[in-house]
Amino acid sequence: MELPASFVDYTRSLLGEEEYEKLAVALQQEPPVSIRFNNEKWKMQDEGLSAVHSPFGRVPWSSEGVYLDERLTFTFDPLFHAGCFYVQEASSMFVEQALRQYIKEPAIMLDLCAAPGGKSTHARSVLPEGSLLVANEVIRNRSQVLAENLAKWGHPDVVVTNNDPADFSALPSFFDVILTDVPCSGEGMFRKDPVAIEEWTPENVEICWQRQRRIIADIWPCLKPGGILIYSTCTFNTKEDEENVRWIQQEFGAELLPLEVREEWNITGNLLKDESAGTVHWEDIPVYHFFPHKTKGEGFFLAVLRKPCIETDENETKKAWETINSQKSAISKSTIARAAKKKGKHAGKGVPSVAKELMDVARSWVRDIGNYSLLTDAETVYAFPNARLEELEALRQKLKVIQSGVSVGEVKGRDLVPAHALALCPVLLRDGAFVVEDISYEQAIAYLRKEAIVLPATVARGFVLLTYRGVPLGFVKNIGNRANNLYPQEWRIRSGYLPEELRIL
């Protein structure tokens, strides 16, 4: 690996000769492989999560993260496709500490730059029960990947949007917590991604820190007074890290919040020399750097800031609260719930209704149906928590929502075909709603390739939920001589071969 000369000079000056040489050696080594388990899915297995955890080293700052001894053949592991685990870089799992230490009550959270979904799925696992996660991605095709990964993770309290950060200004004081894992120069990914080295230039660093400030300025108004901003990058330089955190503090009056960390985690603190402004001494600020020669992971930076409870511009704050309150009065929970119950659809123009008998079928598939409203979007029926209907309507009015809650079924002629997302949501899928058939590894791979499946003659005809090692994979429609595969076409395994050496959990 040949590092850019300008990067070498700057980073050597930043860290000092000895530390830089250790970093340079680490960047030549193979990166560690880490995954994060989905506890809800492993509850369905006889061996449970503890049996799988035991052979692996734990990621110390994550409750469900582990290091693998070698990279698995993830594409050919059915448990990966079932959402039992997510392949995530270990350092970035540190976001969990910010959420666990500062978010104690149900919250509305925005993950602003969320694709492909590592931090979103992680946040959804650790947020308090009753929270709502809004996962956003500005690039359309990446937002579809984000929606897929969140569907596999299997939580109903999620909305996926496809918007520019500036669009969120239409929702003033809406979010309790915002994660901004901002686009950066990617220095922390050098050993994982050779393209990051090729694209790195000092000019790109300049572009990045300025873009990052624009993003923060765009979304700051939609953070509630007293709300939490988590700012993170995967880079080393202080321009995109400490200097931007200082700018947020000075520009918006934000309070930097410390995190409790253990000494053995070998996290590096502030690298910005003391350029004190007033009583703020920057040598002591709580920011957190991960360097691959000190921590087992890639380069990562994180800071936690709190928005002032009282804005400096009282008129602006008053107008923001008036706007949000007018939205609440216009779209009360009772109004939306009545509309959903009466019409079987989401309040909106031009959305066709679904026949009552099909809505009744959908209700029979959903666990604890009293906690959810069944809404429709075109021919799709989806379930969304009653407690967050008001927020969903506000989001739909102001943003481009591409997925909300969990799809329950799709109308096909006179039938309601169960949605794949329903199979992957253990919180929502009612026990006994479908005939269940556990299949072998070979059958599971065939299913994930969207090939036809032949089931035993004893299996009842109709919709059947396939499981692998007790974990739901998806639905088929058993017609006797074969079972029609209902796996999503766009998610299928495209490879027609199996590796000679399979490495799966």
Side-chain angles (χ1 to χ4, degrees):
M1 178 191 299
E2 186 174 350
L3 299 172
S6 296
F7 169 81
V8 172
D9 293 341
Y10 172 84
T11 310
R12 179 179 279 118
S13 174
L14 180 68
L15 299 180
E17 185 68 31
E18 183 178 352
E19 284 296 301
Y20 173 76
E21 290 302 325
K22 292 178 182 177
L23 172 63
V25 170
L27 291 179
Q28 303 297 330
Q29 299 170 349
E30 284 294 315
V33 181
S34 51
I35 62 174
R36 184 173 38 77
F37 289 113
N38 185 345
N39 223 345
E40 287 296 325
K41 301 293 181 82
W42 289 94
K43 288 178 182 177
M44 296 179 282
Q45 290 198 303
D46 293 337
E47 66 263 39
L49 186 58
S50 58
V52 183
H53 258 310
S54 56
F56 305 121
R58 300 293 297 269
V59 176
W61 44 84
S62 172
S63 56
E64 303 300 344
V66 299
Y67 296 103
L68 303 181
D69 296 333
E70 59 181 352
R71 190 169 186 85
L72 305 181
T73 46
F74 296 118
T75 299
F76 299 97
D77 191 334
L79 295 181
F80 170 69
H81 295 276
C84 287
F85 63 92
Y86 192 97
V87 185
Q88 184 178 357
E89 197 283 306
S91 298
S92 67
M93 297 182 196
F94 186 64
V95 169
E96 176 177 328
Q97 294 299 318
L99 292 174
R100 289 198 184 278
Q101 292 183 37
Y102 284 103
I103 310 302
K104 304 293 187 180
E105 302 292 335
I108 306 172
M109 176 177 172
L110 170 64
D111 185 356
L112 184 68
C113 311
K119 295 181 183 66
S120 287
T121 54
H122 196 180
R124 188 53 273 178
S125 290
V126 301
L127 282 169
E129 185 177 352
S131 297
L132 175 67
L133 173 68
V134 179
N136 179 72
E137 172 56 44
V138 66
I139 301 172
R140 173 68 182 179
N141 63 336
R142 284 171 56 84
S143 69
Q144 297 296 335
V145 174
L146 172 65
E148 175 184 337
N149 285 327
L150 280 165
K152 289 178 178 177
W153 206 246
H155 282 264
D157 303 38
V158 173
V159 176
V160 180
T161 58
N162 173 217
N163 285 85
D164 186 87
D167 297 340
F168 287 88
S169 62
L171 294 168
S173 301
F174 191 85
F175 296 101
D176 300 288
V177 56
I178 299 177
L179 169 60
T180 54
D181 187 45
V182 289
C184 68
S185 60
E187 297 166 356
M189 295 291 107
F190 276 0
R191 69 177 176 179
K192 286 189 68 175
D193 183 8
V195 176
I197 301 175
E198 296 171 8
E199 294 181 347
W200 188 94
T201 64
E203 292 75 21
N204 191 37
V205 172
E206 293 295 311
I207 292 171
C208 284
W209 72 256
Q210 294 176 62
R211 181 195 298 130
Q212 291 153 2
R213 293 189 184 187
R214 287 195 298 271
I215 290 172
I216 297 300
D218 284 339
I219 57 89
W220 191 257
C222 69
L223 182 63
K224 291 179 182 178
I228 300 296
L229 175 75
I230 303 172
Y231 178 87
S232 66
T233 74
C234 55
T235 197
F236 302 131
N237 69 79
T238 62
K239 289 187 176 183
E240 299 177 71
D241 295 344
E242 282 91 341
E243 293 177 52
N244 270 353
V245 170
R246 179 172 62 182
W247 176 81
I248 297 169
Q249 187 182 46
Q250 294 174 347
E251 185 75 12
F252 302 109
E255 175 192 2
L256 269 163
L257 301 177
L259 294 173
E260 294 181 8
V261 299
R262 297 181 181 177
E263 186 177 350
E264 61 265 27
W265 294 355
N266 291 321
I267 298 172
T268 302
N270 171 49
L271 298 174
L272 194 63
K273 294 179 181 178
D274 185 14
E275 298 174 5
S276 301
T279 59
V280 178
H281 293 279
W282 278 83
E283 291 177 346
D284 303 324
I285 64 168
V287 296
Y288 306 91
H289 277 283
F290 286 70
F291 283 95
H293 66 292
K294 299 180 71 174
T295 53
K296 192 175 180 181
E298 302 311 289
F300 186 67
F301 171 86
L302 183 139
V304 183
L305 303 102
R306 176 182 283 133
K307 188 173 185 177
C309 291
I310 300 176
E311 297 274 17
T312 54
D313 187 339
E314 295 183 1
N315 290 329
E316 182 179 345
T317 303
K318 183 179 179 181
K319 286 189 289 184
W321 278 106
E322 286 175 351
T323 300
I324 203 74
N325 286 333
S326 67
Q327 292 172 345
K328 288 182 178 180
S329 63
I331 50 172
S332 67
K333 293 179 183 178
S334 59
T335 300
I336 299 172
R338 283 198 303 270
K341 183 176 181 180
K342 182 178 179 181
K343 300 180 182 180
K345 66 178 184 178
H346 203 291
K349 296 180 180 179
V351 180
S353 61
V354 173
K356 179 182 181 301
E357 57 269 25
L358 295 186
M359 294 298 288
D360 289 340
V361 170
R363 290 187 183 93
S364 72
W365 294 345
V366 176
R367 183 198 307 267
D368 299 327
I369 186 61
N371 296 327
Y372 297 92
S373 286
L374 292 183
L375 312 173
T376 65
D377 184 1
E379 299 298 315
T380 300
V381 180
Y382 62 100
F384 197 82
N386 290 329
R388 293 299 182 183
L389 283 170
E390 181 180 348
E391 288 83 3
L392 173 62
E393 183 64 11
L395 292 165
R396 288 175 65 94
Q397 286 186 3
K398 302 297 183 181
L399 302 174
K400 186 177 181 181
V401 173
I402 65 171
Q403 180 174 292
S404 50
V406 172
S407 296
V408 174
E410 186 175 355
V411 178
K412 294 288 182 68
R414 297 180 180 180
D415 289 336
L416 185 70
V417 178
H420 187 70
L422 177 64
L424 301 182
C425 185
V427 175
L428 203 65
L429 180 60
R430 185 177 64 82
D431 292 340
F434 297 94
V435 172
V436 177
E437 181 69 16
D438 203 59
I439 58 177
S440 66
Y441 174 81
E442 291 73 20
Q443 288 176 304
I445 293 299
Y447 174 74
L448 294 168
R449 286 175 171 153
K450 202 171 170 59
E451 298 171 358
I453 302 295
V454 177
L455 299 177
T458 54
V459 178
R461 297 194 180 194
F463 296 118
V464 177
L465 176 65
L466 300 185
T467 62
Y468 168 73
R469 290 170 56 182
V471 178
L473 276 186
F475 295 105
V476 295
K477 186 173 184 180
N478 187 25
I479 58 175
N481 58 332
R482 71 177 190 282
N484 292 337
N485 193 327
L486 302 181
Y487 192 73
Q489 177 74 15
E490 62 275 16
W491 293 9
R492 74 190 188 283
I493 296 176
R494 289 169 171 79
S495 174
Y497 75 98
L498 280 177
E500 292 184 5
E501 182 183 359
L502 277 174
R503 298 186 298 277
I504 61 176
L505 286 182

